[in-house]
Amino acid sequence: MNVRASQHNNVVVQSLAQIGNCGLFLLTLLVAIPRSFRHVRETIRQLWFVGAMSLTIIMVCGLFIGMVLMLQLYNVLSIFGSTSASGMVVALAVYRELGPVVTALLFAGRAGTSITAEIGLMRATDQIDAMEMMAVDPIAYVATPRFLAGLIAMPLLCCVFCAMAIFGGHLVGVTWLGIDNGTFWSNMTAVVVVHTDIVNGVLFKSLVFGAVVSLIAVFQGFTTPPTSEGVAYATTRTVVASSIAILALDFVLTAFLM
Amino acid sequence: MSQQRSSYAVGTGLFIVLGFAALAYLATQTSSVANVHQGASYTVDAHFTNIGALKERAPVKIAGVRIGQVQSITLPPGQEVADVKLTIDKSYDRIPQDSVVTIFTSGLLGDQYVGIDYGSSQQFVANGGTLARTKSSQPLEEMLGKFFGAGGVSDNIGGTYTVKADFSNVGTLSVGAPVKMAGVAIGTVQTVVADPVKLDAKVTLAIDKRYNAIPDDSSAAVFTSGLIGSQYVAIQPGGSPDALKDGDEMVLTQSAMQLEDLIGKFLVNGSSSDTKSAGNGKSDIPPAGKH
């Protein structure tokens, strides 16, 4: 019993320590931003890797989310004879919740894991130490460009995701199920407000999620034990921690922004 | 190497452009930028005693066409009327001063908007002016209340006397439902019991002692407040000189009207269900609330 209690205690203390280290790491990253301006090319390369290379999965998933949402809504709303409202519900649901959250989850799975694995392997193969030996700051050269790339890529990816979801909703609703094209768009434009839905919903949320996911990914990569097992664990932890952080933050942000 | 670097740069640039294009698409195609960004416009005041569920940025319409939006809704402290500021497109600057401003509801359950009906005055309302003639929002309950003769439920009922009434169908009338006369609550439904012999519903009404001069040939009817509201018993006074006393039975009753029946009769005059609904099916008496 005592052993179990102390283990329990250990877990709590360790988690707190992780959160504390993560916060300190964020400060280090932010401080290193001016120094990383010398490595703009690296940032662009990372933006290509985490952003442009994630486009395919984001676009396909956005398309299907919009399509399935429209299909479900059409079935329910047809009970009340108000299928013409389904377009606006798709838009609101995607802008306010599904767009940022699903994009962030996909981003964590697609980009976050590879950032962690890459940095973890750099650590395991002593590349980070070699950089320090050559007087290259690994934070400014490895960590910050990836963090910044995630920060920039997430809102852009989220916009693409939302546009694809609207397109998918239009495809199913108008082309397949026969909702009137005019009512689809006019109902949507009547309820979507740029400030609350697109700026606060799409852009702000995805910016926060991008920061959180890339922070967790870079942090896990840097703190991984330099073994193959350690890299595996760190990669898993990136996905788990990111997912929890995204969903919890989503609730908090929604409560604040509403 | 530089070849590869530039291909990264081009791809990343394309990605950024695509992202911003998507953002522009979201902002312009799926949202009402026109609602936010406006051309030249002017502001007009209107005062309403009840704005219902009118919200800021709700459309202002003439002949159903959007010409502006509600800019702000304020209730000046100490006043009873809400001050609604309307922003109207500059091109519609010839609105007569005696135009009537009304708060409408789009459809039965839709959003509310401000409609302007042109007056005949040669004087046009100017920027910052006030349109004096307004019609407030008509709450659906009030409208249907006028229609059905339902009013508010009165509280503090003192001593009561009970009257019985038989209905062939009480609908969803439950114990505690109000008993109203002329739309004013004068009592409550005490019991609703199905009669095992006569196969109808026996309803006991507890009526306030103050209303002791109700003619004994008055009729009782089960009405619904509003379209989907709860049901109540309405008493329509008769002309007899004798008044109802404690324990009396009301002979003239009118059962609950089923909305479906009503609409059915209204829409399809002489549908198949009409022939059998004359007796208003005794079998569909709902189980009584309490025994």
Side-chain angles (χ1 to χ4, degrees):
Chain A
M1 195 66 192
N2 236 346
V3 176
R4 203 178 271 175
S6 79
Q7 270 177 354
H8 206 74
N9 200 25
N10 258 352
V11 169
V12 171
V13 169
Q14 274 176 6
S15 328
L16 280 176
Q18 282 261 325
I19 293 172
N21 283 336
C22 202
L24 289 176
F25 192 75
L26 176 64
L27 281 182
T28 326
L29 279 184
L30 293 178
V31 168
I33 286 179
R35 275 183 284 148
S36 72
F37 283 151
R38 272 182 298 167
H39 309 296
V40 161
R41 273 192 185 285
E42 177 63 10
T43 308
I44 291 175
R45 202 178 70 90
Q46 289 304 325
L47 193 54
W48 158 263
F49 182 69
V50 300
M53 297 286 276
S54 306
L55 266 180
T56 324
I57 185 174
I58 291 290
M59 286 171 85
V60 172
C61 291
L63 186 70
F64 279 112
I65 288 268
M67 284 165 73
V68 78
L69 204 58
M70 176 55 97
L71 204 56
Q72 290 280 8
L73 281 169
Y74 185 87
N75 280 332
V76 175
L77 289 175
S78 61
I79 298 172
F80 306 105
S82 48
T83 50
S84 58
S86 46
M88 76 187 191
V89 183
V90 168
L92 288 185
V94 167
Y95 291 168
R96 292 183 183 171
E97 293 299 332
L98 286 173
V101 170
V102 177
T103 312
L105 291 175
L106 291 171
F107 187 75
R110 163 69 182 71
T113 49
S114 61
I115 290 175
T116 305
E118 193 187 5
I119 300 179
L121 271 178
M122 282 182 174
R123 193 148 199 90
T125 51
D126 296 332
Q127 291 182 51
I128 305 268
D129 295 336
M131 274 181 208
E132 275 172 357
M133 299 276 273
M134 293 188 290
V136 176
D137 182 1
I139 297 287
Y141 186 69
V142 176
T144 309
R146 286 169 172 75
F147 177 74
L148 285 180
L151 203 64
I152 299 167
M154 255 301 290
L156 297 174
L157 286 175
C158 187
C159 287
V160 174
F161 181 94
C162 292
M164 286 309 286
I166 299 293
F167 177 69
H170 184 266
L171 202 66
V172 169
V174 176
T175 316
W176 180 23
L177 297 170
I179 297 172
D180 182 65
N181 192 28
T183 46
F184 180 88
W185 291 114
S186 65
N187 274 336
M188 197 183 286
T189 51
V191 293
V192 175
V193 180
V194 173
H195 177 69
T196 57
D197 295 323
I198 295 183
V199 176
N200 273 355
V202 175
L203 294 180
F204 183 68
K205 271 189 181 178
S206 57
L207 195 69
V208 174
F209 294 162
V212 169
V213 171
S214 30
L215 171 66
I216 290 175
V218 175
F219 174 71
Q220 292 291 354
F222 262 87
T223 54
T224 181
T227 59
S228 48
E229 200 184 19
V231 174
Y233 272 130
T235 313
T236 310
R237 267 205 305 272
T238 297
V239 176
V240 173
S242 301
S243 306
I244 293 171
I246 289 163
L247 295 173
L249 264 178
D250 181 48
F251 175 76
V252 175
L253 285 180
T254 307
F256 266 108
L257 295 176
M258 283 296 257
Chain B
M1 192 63 193
S2 84
Q3 184 64 36
Q4 200 178 2
R5 264 186 197 159
S6 70
S7 84
Y8 279 134
V10 169
T12 314
L14 271 177
F15 163 62
I16 293 173
V17 168
L18 182 68
F20 277 104
L23 176 63
Y25 172 77
L26 296 185
T28 55
Q29 293 301 302
T30 70
S31 81
S32 40
V33 177
N35 293 4
V36 179
H37 173 76
Q38 284 191 324
S41 62
Y42 66 104
T43 316
V44 172
D45 278 2
H47 303 289
F48 295 95
T49 53
N50 185 353
I51 57 155
L54 190 73
K55 293 187 198 76
E56 283 179 15
R57 288 198 301 271
V60 176
K61 296 180 178 181
I62 288 180
V65 179
R66 184 194 176 96
I67 59 156
Q69 65 177 353
V70 174
Q71 191 184 42
S72 68
I73 300 171
T74 49
L75 182 67
Q79 282 192 35
E80 288 180 347
V81 289
D83 182 15
V84 177
K85 278 195 173 24
L86 313 173
T87 311
I88 298 174
D89 196 293
K90 200 80 183 170
S91 48
Y92 304 97
D93 59 349
R94 293 170 68 80
I95 297 173
Q97 260 187 333
D98 59 345
S99 300
V100 181
V101 188
T102 316
I103 297 179
F104 287 113
T105 308
S106 32
L108 205 57
L109 307 165
D111 272 347
Q112 293 195 302
Y113 66 92
V114 175
I116 300 179
D117 294 317
Y118 274 135
S120 54
S121 167
Q122 292 302 307
Q123 303 264 310
F124 302 115
V125 70
N127 187 17
T130 304
L131 285 167
R133 303 179 62 185
T134 59
K135 260 193 255 170
S136 288
S137 150
Q138 288 273 355
L140 188 64
E141 303 81 34
E142 214 171 86
M143 232 143 58
L144 290 165
K146 276 179 197 156
F147 200 67
F148 288 106
V153 180
S154 85
D155 32 16
N156 69 347
I157 288 171
T160 58
Y161 65 100
T162 55
V163 175
K164 287 198 271 298
D166 287 353
F167 294 96
S168 62
N169 185 353
V170 292
T172 56
L173 188 74
S174 55
V175 173
V179 177
K180 295 181 181 182
M181 193 168 65
V184 182
I186 59 166
T188 53
V189 172
Q190 210 167 42
T191 57
V192 181
V193 183
D195 189 316
V197 184
K198 283 164 77 182
L199 299 176
D200 58 5
K202 275 201 157 350
V203 178
T204 318
L205 313 173
I207 298 173
D208 196 318
K209 278 231 167 66
R210 282 179 296 172
Y211 306 101
N212 56 3
I214 301 170
D216 63 359
D217 63 344
S218 302
S219 67
V222 179
F223 280 167
T224 309
S225 41
L227 207 56
I228 42 179
S230 58
Q231 291 191 305
Y232 65 95
V233 176
I235 294 181
Q236 284 138 344
S240 161
D242 299 323
L244 274 176
K245 288 184 290 297
D246 192 33
D248 275 2
E249 180 155 350
M250 299 179 81
V251 189
L252 293 168
T253 60
Q254 188 190 328
S255 290
M257 206 85 82
Q258 306 295 79
L259 189 63
E260 296 84 353
D261 280 356
L262 211 67
I263 293 175
K265 275 178 197 154
F266 196 69
L267 293 181
V268 259
N269 206 2
S271 70
S272 61
S273 70
D274 237 8
T275 51
K276 54 185 177 191
S277 72
N280 214 348
K282 291 193 174 172
S283 57
D284 60 5
I285 299 171
K290 273 179 193 149
H291 294 276

